Amino acid sequence: MSATPTPKPILDRVASPSDMKSLTDAELGRLAEELRRETIEVVSQTGGHLGSSLGVVELTVAIHAVFDTPRDKLVWDVGHQCYPHKILTGRRDRMLTLRQANGLSGFTKRSESEYDPFGAAHSSTSISAALGFAVGRELGMPVGDTIAVIGDGSITAGMAYEALNHAGHLKSRMFVILNDNDMSIAPPVGALSRYLNDIAAKGPFAMLKAAAEGIEAHLPGPVREGARRARQMVTGMPGGGTLFEELGFEYVGPIDGHDMEQLLGTLRAARARARGPVLIHAVTVKGKGYAPAEGADDKYHGVAKFDIATGAQVKSKSNAPSYTSVFGNTLTEEAARDPRIVAITAAMPGGTGLDIMARRFPARVFDVGIAEQHGVTFAAGLAAAGMRPFCAIYSSFLQRGYDQIVHDVALQNLPVRFAIDRAGLVGQDGATHAGAFDTAMLANLPNMVVMACGDEAELVHMVATAVEFDAGPIAFRYPRGEGAGVEMPSRGTPLEIGRGRVVREGTDAAILSFGAHLSEALAAAEMLEAEGISLTVADARFAKPLDTALIDRLIDSHAGLFTLEQGSSGGFGAQVLHHLAATGGLDRGRVVRTLMLPDKFIDQASPAQMYAWAGLTAADIAASVRGALARDKVARMPSRPRAV
Ligand SMILES: Cc1ncc(C[n+]2csc(CCOP(=O)(O)OP(=O)(O)O)c2C)c(N)n1
Ligand SMILES: CC(=O)[C@@H](O)[C@H](O)COP(=O)(O)O
Ligand SMILES: [Mg+2]
């Protein structure tokens, strides 16, 4: 499977971008070929974001050849396409540790390299960050030029336009390279995407437009003529300037993002001549240069390890359906019964499982692009219109829509259903994608109902609960990956709001679990049973409203109560503590502990390893219970008479 590495004589000479300065343009072209091969060889052994990285190989070489990184600040957006950049910037020897425990991050990361001046993994931040560097330079900081590389998917997000608007206003010298491969994770959606296609279609690669007095005259010969013709053509039309020019940018492009001559010529001219903000529109191909990737529907956006010769990926065997597919299938079944059900995804139809519903009810599934804020408020509007919207967004990306959840949904008590996938630690994407904060974010909000499923059968019931619940907003969270392997109901039964369930009866202490760590709680109970400690395990189901009767009963009848969740402080445990504090439950001499994610960001590893680092394995839970009960026992012993 792992093919013998091919010889890479030029890449072998490049320990850092400074080594590229002595290469001829022809050698830079060959360097790109070797870099592409290296990227494929690495990712075939590690898995990762291959398609996006292959699409920027030439761009990466050209930027590092022309600009003076790390003094010049190169900001990648989303950051998932930075593998060739990592290889060129001193991390080649660690590439096989990519996305693994103690290895390289799959994204740019400030703590990893001076060549990563700004970390990213959530999209559309690059122009804002690059503008910050540019203004820092104007204010005397030792910073060179700034270059933001942003994808056509990422530039659909509102934040990118806020930054373009500001940059056009400030007129700071900076470079935005639009990496337009006509793909997001799924095919891109929206009028802006169509607009970019229109520009590219007016004459790909030959039709090059640049503002008259600026960069155009300094472009390489063959490109310059095309640019002149294009400019005459475009400015002869009504409203001939591009959107970017209207926003105050000098627009250059579209250029062929795989043609080294065009790239080097354009970047050199831009670097030499730019006075204000410049947008360079590079048209690229996602998966470029690797036939299985180019030919695949997803362009190998994110792949498992694969066989280079065939492109066949090594998919891990699953023992149970994934939570995502359970959600997608259940919602589709519910939608078949209820025409008011609609669903919203922010550029993740496959990742959220909404592609399943979209195949059956295409008119009722809306991909809004990378626009979580809009997606939430769009759902609020749909709810206000009487629909039953399911807004399916990964936990970490939902952070983008928080004010919309507060102001547009909760405050107006609109029945938007939030299906929060990737709750808890997700594994190889690491801290940026951890679904740590949603319970804390949501359970604090008036009107909000917040659920988490203990297993995949519970998820089916929670979807049914959300369908029926029209009284206000309701959210349910579930993790990445496969379920617990429990028996599945043929159809969900709506749960009583605010009612948990006891899964296992015991006598000494109780674990009150919220979410999919229920299986760890049960495993901990088994471990302690062998030691003679008897545990009750309850599934809270709701962080809001709490099942206060269940909590009161558990604390009354056990020496200790331990809350457990795959989330941060301020979440389920905090809600339980507030209840106990308000009702005197903390004054009854019981042991109370909150088991949750620690107050730190946890780097990428397998989810099991990440939970081990978080102190949340079954053994850790058992140790917490054992330790707290033992300490409590010692504390309760009558104190010995003091020796005189
Ligand atoms: C705020 C946010 N929402 C969603 C995502 C998930 N996501 C990662 S990459 C990606 C597609 C990006 O498309 P584009 O910028 O065109 O890059 P390409 O993969 O095509 O190179 C999406 C939706 C994200 N990283 N951040
Ligand atoms: C770069 C990015 O944000 C996505 O591609 C993400 O890696 C997808 O994660 P899942 O594999 O959990 O869908
Ligand atoms: Mg793209």
Side-chain angles (χ1 to χ4, degrees):
M1 126 110 73
S2 56
T4 320
T6 48
K8 301 184 186 74
I10 303 183
L11 184 58
D12 290 344
R13 284 160 51 197
V14 177
S16 77
S18 58
D19 298 323
M20 294 164 62
K21 305 297 178 203
S22 55
L23 299 180
T24 64
D25 288 3
E27 285 173 322
L28 289 171
R30 289 208 295 283
L31 173 64
E33 284 164 27
E34 293 176 14
L35 186 57
R36 172 163 287 111
R37 190 68 200 170
E38 178 87 355
T39 304
I40 294 167
E41 286 168 5
V42 164
V43 183
S44 73
Q45 295 178 66
T46 61
H49 291 108
L50 181 64
S52 310
S53 289
L54 293 181
V56 296
V57 167
E58 287 78 13
L59 202 49
T60 307
V61 170
I63 292 168
H64 282 297
V66 170
F67 287 92
D68 180 25
T69 56
R71 184 178 157 76
D72 290 348
K73 305 300 174 194
L74 172 56
V75 184
W76 292 97
D77 191 336
V78 172
H80 63 319
Q81 73 285 63
C82 68
Y83 303 175
H85 161 80
K86 290 201 178 200
I87 294 169
L88 290 182
T89 54
R91 287 167 273 184
R92 186 180 176 197
D93 58 342
R94 284 177 290 152
M95 286 305 287
L96 289 178
T97 69
L98 198 64
R99 288 159 52 92
Q100 294 152 47
N102 305 311
L104 292 178
S105 164
F107 301 101
T108 50
K109 192 169 180 186
R110 277 172 61 84
S111 58
E112 202 176 271
S113 167
E114 60 180 340
Y115 289 91
D116 292 1
F118 203 79
H122 289 202
S123 83
S124 322
T125 58
S126 61
I127 306 175
S128 302
L131 181 60
F133 279 114
V135 170
R137 166 182 159 148
E138 286 165 4
L139 296 176
M141 291 295 118
V143 173
D145 272 321
T146 67
I147 310 108
V149 182
I150 183 166
D152 57 311
S154 299
I155 207 167
T156 58
M159 188 176 170
Y161 291 87
E162 295 169 28
L164 287 170
N165 180 45
H166 191 202
H169 167 71
L170 290 180
K171 299 190 171 54
S172 301
R173 173 183 155 113
M174 66 182 288
F175 303 92
V176 174
I177 301 178
L178 171 59
N179 168 36
D180 182 1
N181 58 19
D182 197 22
M183 267 299 274
S184 186
I185 291 185
V189 292
L192 283 163
S193 164
R194 236 182 1 253
Y195 174 72
L196 292 178
N197 278 344
D198 280 355
I199 303 183
K202 281 200 173 121
F205 319 135
M207 178 181 155
L208 217 138
K209 178 182 178 306
E213 80 208 65
I215 294 159
E216 179 187 277
H218 301 270
L219 292 170
V223 174
R224 188 171 58 236
E225 271 319 297
R228 270 212 185 102
R229 278 200 308 277
R231 181 167 52 76
Q232 281 155 10
M233 210 171 106
V234 173
T235 50
M237 293 176 189
T242 62
L243 170 67
F244 305 107
E245 285 164 284
E246 301 300 328
L247 287 169
F249 274 69
E250 193 168 348
Y251 171 85
V252 184
I255 61 170
D256 180 347
H258 300 296
D259 181 324
M260 191 57 82
E261 202 187 333
Q262 282 193 32
L263 279 169
L264 291 170
T266 304
L267 292 183
R268 282 174 186 143
R271 187 166 195 238
R273 308 295 302 176
R275 278 179 265 166
V278 177
L279 185 133
I280 297 163
H281 184 175
V283 176
T284 60
V285 174
K286 194 161 178 170
K288 175 75 178 176
Y290 182 53
E294 283 194 47
D297 284 347
D298 69 348
K299 308 294 171 200
Y300 279 28
H301 173 84
V303 287
K305 296 175 188 183
F306 61 92
D307 182 287
I308 295 180
T310 64
Q313 296 178 49
V314 185
K315 300 281 185 194
S316 53
K317 281 213 179 75
S318 58
N319 302 311
S322 69
Y323 282 96
T324 301
S325 68
V326 170
F327 165 69
N329 284 313
T330 307
L331 187 64
T332 306
E333 291 308 314
E334 295 286 352
R337 289 187 279 270
D338 186 342
R340 287 169 297 176
I341 293 176
V342 287
I344 295 116
T345 170
M348 313 288 287
T352 57
L354 286 188
D355 55 343
I356 301 170
M357 179 170 160
R359 281 194 285 277
R360 202 150 147 207
F361 303 107
R364 286 159 62 192
V365 176
F366 299 91
D367 182 348
V368 297
I370 307 182
E372 289 81 4
Q373 297 172 311
H374 161 65
V376 171
T377 304
F378 174 54
L382 284 162
M387 301 299 289
R388 288 179 156 174
F390 277 74
C391 198
I393 298 183
Y394 289 10
S395 169
S396 73
F397 301 146
L398 190 61
Q399 291 159 196
R400 279 277 164 95
Y402 191 47
D403 183 59
Q404 286 70 16
I405 296 172
V406 177
H407 176 268
D408 301 333
V409 177
L411 198 103
Q412 306 194 86
N413 201 25
L414 287 168
V416 174
R417 286 84 173 158
F418 291 100
I420 306 177
D421 202 329
R422 302 324 191 251
L425 303 176
V426 294
Q428 293 168 319
D429 277 338
T432 53
H433 285 54
F437 308 113
D438 57 278
T439 309
M441 279 178 0
L442 299 182
N444 282 324
L445 299 179
N447 294 332
M448 186 66 80
V449 172
V450 183
M451 304 183 277
C453 59
D455 56 45
E456 64 274 31
E458 284 285 296
L459 177 56
V460 174
H461 298 312
M462 287 183 180
V463 174
T465 310
V467 169
E468 290 300 312
F469 190 76
D470 288 320
I474 188 165
F476 51 100
R477 76 191 308 256
Y478 45 98
R480 187 177 199 273
E482 64 187 44
V486 297
E487 200 180 319
M488 296 292 282
S490 56
R491 183 176 171 179
T493 308
L495 303 171
E496 184 182 343
I497 299 295
R499 182 65 48 155
R501 59 179 180 139
V502 172
V503 181
R504 170 195 167 114
E505 292 280 6
T507 51
D508 295 321
I511 298 182
L512 181 55
S513 171
F514 178 64
H517 239 53
L518 180 64
S519 53
E520 307 298 316
L522 289 167
E526 287 296 317
M527 290 174 190
L528 291 176
E529 189 74 38
E531 299 170 24
I533 300 173
S534 163
L535 283 193
T536 292
V537 176
D539 175 7
R541 283 178 168 154
F542 292 82
K544 188 164 190 197
L546 287 173
D547 187 342
T548 53
L550 174 62
I551 296 168
D552 293 346
R553 182 162 73 74
L554 293 177
I555 198 141
D556 281 344
S557 55
H558 297 82
L561 177 64
F562 298 77
T563 66
L564 177 65
E565 65 198 294
Q566 298 178 327
S568 71
S569 62
F572 172 67
Q575 294 294 324
V576 173
L577 285 182
H578 291 316
H579 164 70
L580 292 174
T583 56
L586 292 177
D587 312 336
R588 282 183 227 147
R590 303 286 201 251
V591 169
V592 178
R593 297 285 187 276
T594 51
L595 307 180
M596 62 199 169
L597 295 177
D599 184 21
K600 63 179 179 205
F601 292 107
I602 298 176
D603 281 341
Q604 75 284 342
S606 67
Q609 176 63 66
M610 292 173 85
Y611 278 117
W613 286 335
L616 281 183
T617 63
D620 294 325
I621 296 164
S624 300
V625 174
R626 188 189 301 118
L629 291 184
R631 268 195 300 279
D632 182 57
K633 213 165 170 183
V634 170
R636 280 163 199 277
M637 279 178 186
S639 48
R640 283 201 217 131
R642 282 225 200 118
V644 210

